[in-house]
Amino acid sequence: MQLLIYLAKKAVLRCWGICVHPLHNMYARWLLYSSNAVHGPGLCSFGIPDVRISRGRSHSVRCRIGREFTMRNGSYGVSRSSPRCLIFVDRDGVLRIGDRVGISNAVIICTQSVTIGNDVKAGFGVHIMDSDFHALDPEARRGPDDVLQRRSAPVRIGENVFIGAGTFILKGVAIGDNAIIGACSVVTRSIPAGEIWAGNPARRIRGGEEVSPVMERGLHA
């Protein structure tokens, strides 16, 4: 009996997802369009993202997204309690996302420059941020100049990069093509192409020619 209830519930949820998915797609595209973002054909959104894109000081496009961009939001990601994807671009920021990029319950915060190459896959809960958000000087954090003294530096992620779940990529980082980053890593420095890094702070595990058994267990999206 319990099996029948489980199967019936699963069937109902699947039918519901099939029915509402086109609406999610339409609403996500409208959110990007209304925020002056440009995206290529094939954009696919499971659930509704949180999009906050400033129009900036000029009329230039602050956010460009390539072809076949896929994002999973909320319960369409890992669990029902999962957060939505957040795409935030400040008025001085420029966000560039390549073709066939996939993210799940991820956060992208751009105050200056974030570039994501083609075929990048980012697992659940990945955070990509190009700023410290607050001043590093403790005295400045108490005053009105706190945000004005924050430090920002461009983030660049190359092509075909695999970013494991729960990873944080911080300001000033450049990640080379075909690199792999283990789950729950904190990336504070640049990663050469084709290498495997993991840890807090992230360190080189080995080159990209083979993956150790420990990394096979830790890498997941």
Side-chain angles (χ1 to χ4, degrees):
M1 186 64 180
Q2 289 182 342
L3 178 60
L4 291 176
I5 294 174
Y6 168 76
L7 292 175
K9 182 179 178 181
K10 188 174 182 180
V12 169
L13 290 175
R14 183 169 180 81
C15 291
W16 173 256
I18 293 173
C19 293
V20 302
H21 176 53
L23 298 178
H24 290 164
N25 257 341
M26 291 175 59
Y27 189 58
R29 293 179 185 189
W30 180 84
L31 284 174
L32 291 168
Y33 175 78
S34 64
S35 300
N36 198 33
V38 174
H39 64 82
L43 184 143
C44 182
S45 177
F46 295 90
I48 300 172
D50 186 354
V51 178
R52 310 178 194 178
I53 301 174
S54 171
R55 292 189 177 270
R57 296 174 180 174
S58 66
H59 296 290
S60 61
V61 176
R62 321 304 301 176
C63 176
R64 290 185 181 273
I65 300 173
R67 303 166 61 91
E68 300 176 32
F69 176 62
T70 302
M71 52 183 162
R72 293 183 176 272
N73 304 275
S75 60
Y76 292 89
V78 173
S79 69
R80 292 192 173 276
S81 60
S82 300
R84 298 183 292 168
C85 291
L86 169 62
I87 298 177
F88 173 83
V89 183
D90 207 352
R91 63 177 182 172
D92 294 322
V94 177
L95 172 62
R96 297 289 183 266
I97 300 176
D99 298 335
R100 298 173 300 279
V101 172
I103 62 176
S104 179
N105 310 105
V107 173
I108 302 174
I109 298 180
C110 173
T111 62
Q112 185 180 114
S113 175
V114 173
T115 303
I116 301 174
N118 299 333
D119 301 298
V120 171
K121 299 295 182 288
F124 164 77
V126 167
H127 287 60
I128 301 171
M129 304 173 289
D130 69 347
S131 174
D132 287 331
F133 304 108
H134 296 280
L136 300 183
D137 181 2
E139 294 298 326
R141 285 199 301 273
R142 297 176 181 173
D145 294 335
D146 178 21
V147 176
L148 296 177
Q149 293 189 27
R150 69 184 180 186
R151 294 182 181 178
S152 299
V155 171
R156 183 191 176 280
I157 301 174
E159 297 189 356
N160 199 35
V161 174
F162 175 29
I163 307 171
T167 292
F168 281 71
I169 298 176
L170 305 184
K171 74 177 193 309
V173 166
I175 300 175
D177 297 346
N178 303 309
I180 299 175
I181 304 170
C184 299
S185 298
V186 178
V187 183
T188 59
R189 53 181 174 154
S190 296
I191 298 176
E195 292 192 356
I196 301 170
W197 285 49
N200 180 9
R203 293 182 173 85
R204 181 181 182 274
I205 302 299
R206 63 180 60 190
E209 68 281 354
E210 59 178 319
V211 181
S212 68
V214 173
M215 289 301 296
E216 287 181 350
R217 292 194 296 269
L219 290 169
H220 54 85

